[in-house]
């Protein structure tokens, strides 16, 4: 295998096949869209986190300014890698999406619904396919979900199945193809 991101390789191939556009343009557009989506998702997650924290603030209205995103966007390597053709846009988009889903899970009133937990587990399970080292982020997120209070064992077992379905299926295919 000559790739570091299984999901990036298949995403670029699928987008190229669907659009019929040359792959260098597909890579450029996909990376730029994912990098931009990452910024939006990260801001949504952080906005939700702070709105939830500030709800008991006596009715005061707060304006959330995404100062951290302004700093990130202003740094030249962030702009360079957004259109480099590498999987960095996919990586930061996955991290931002996982952040948003975990914040939604953590700030949900009462016990989070099973579909919400399973969707978060599915996204976390894709981490090693985005980049192998993202297992270091995915595993604690999955462990946190698994150990959460209020979940039935059926949901926990379904969570393991949902999180592992795509990575395990890919690994089985990979062992057969490269074996």
């Amino acid at each position: 295998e000559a790739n570091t991101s299984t999901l990036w390789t298949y995403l670029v191939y699928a987008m190229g096949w669907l659009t019929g556009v040359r792959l260098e343009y597909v890579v450029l557009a996909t990376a730029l869209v994912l990098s931009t989506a990452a910024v939006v998702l990260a801001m949504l997650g952080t906005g939700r986190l702070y709105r939830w924290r500030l709800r008991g603030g006596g009715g005061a209205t707060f304006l959330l300014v995404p100062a951290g995103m302004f700093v990130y966007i202003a740094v030249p390597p962030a702009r360079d890698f957004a259109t480099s053709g590498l999987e960095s846009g996919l990586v930061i988009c996955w991290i931002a999406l996982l952040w948003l889903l975990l914040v939604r899970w953590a700030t949900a009133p009462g016990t989070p619904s099973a579909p919400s937990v399973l969707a978060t587990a599915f996204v976390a399970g894709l981490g090693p396919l985005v980049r192998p080292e993202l297992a270091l982020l995915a595993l604690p997120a999955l462990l946190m979900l698994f150990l959460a209070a209020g979940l039935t064992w059926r949901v926990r077992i379904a969570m393991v199945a949902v999180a592992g379905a795509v990575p395990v299926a890919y690994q089985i295919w990979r062992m057969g193809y490269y074996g």
Side-chain angles (χ1 to χ4, degrees), residues 25-79:
Y25 299 124
V26 168
V27 167
L28 177 68
T30 305
L32 190 57
V33 165
L34 288 173
S35 295
T36 305
V39 169
V40 172
L41 292 171
M43 288 191 305
L44 288 173
T46 304
R48 181 175 175 118
L49 177 68
Y50 280 102
R51 272 195 299 272
W52 180 77
R53 284 185 174 178
L54 298 174
R55 277 196 185 141
T61 304
F62 292 93
L63 174 65
L64 295 174
V65 178
M69 278 301 154
F70 293 147
V71 171
Y72 172 74
I73 293 168
V75 176
R79 293 190 309 269

